[in-house]
Amino acid sequence: MQTVNYLAGAALEFESRGLNDLVDSTFAIATKQFDDEDSSTGREVRLAIRAHQARTNVIGRIFDPEPVAHDDAAVRLADYRGKVVLIPFWAAGFPESLQLVDRLKAIQVADPENTTIVGLNLDANAEQLKQFLAANDLGFPSIRAQSSATDVATQFGLVSFPFVAILDQEGRVAAINFTGYELEIAVKKLVQQ
């Protein structure tokens, strides 16, 4: 399992840097080495591949979930058309999900006319979320996953935190960032388009 986790982590790092040939090669090696689909290692490899495919497939799609706010104030992503929207996926029980928030805020402060932050909360427990928000001011609005958080996570291929979806000015998923690598560059390119 350690080898599978290492290969999946390497593929994720390659993906974050746009090294798609290395991603494909890594998954080809993992699939060949762990070809028993009924084993835990085989299932883990296939899960990593499906998550990668989901991340690839979501690029270019409009993302506009039903508005469900954590504080009962409806937040609609469509209201932010014309701006690049940074969407950190987060959950109260996973502090690492918020580790890029300071960088996101710096991006927004540097160009508030063209960028904004709208979080996507994945907490299932509304009361736990309410307590977390009472103790922590995130400094940006958040929407909650209307359907199951697992569905949203699967749709986006979320396998680890941090995880930031970047929407272009038309509301399409332009990029996914899960390392912070070249985050500012990706946003700047979108703003200049």
Side-chain angles (χ1 to χ4, degrees), residues 119-192:
L120 181 67
N121 178 263
L122 301 173
D123 283 304
N125 184 322
E127 189 56 38
Q128 180 184 12
L129 174 61
K130 191 180 234 182
Q131 290 173 6
F132 177 83
L133 291 171
N136 300 281
D137 179 17
L138 295 177
F140 54 84
S142 281
I143 54 179
R144 289 188 62 207
Q146 170 103 17
S147 61
S148 165
T150 304
D151 293 343
V152 174
T154 301
Q155 175 188 356
F156 275 83
L158 186 145
V159 293
S160 65
F161 289 117
F163 191 93
V164 179
I166 304 171
L167 303 187
D168 68 14
Q169 294 87 335
E170 296 176 5
R172 287 183 171 74
V173 179
I176 294 174
N177 190 295
F178 34 82
T179 64
Y181 179 73
E182 294 191 347
L183 182 60
E184 294 82 356
I185 292 170
V187 172
K188 186 175 182 179
K189 284 181 185 177
L190 287 170
V191 167
Q192 292 176 344

Side-chain angles (χ1 to χ4, degrees), residues 57-77:
N57 293 339
V58 78
I59 299 296
R61 291 187 181 170
I62 296 280
F63 182 60
D64 194 13
E66 289 296 318
V68 177
H70 57 74
D71 60 0
D72 297 327
V75 176
R76 295 192 56 85
L77 289 177

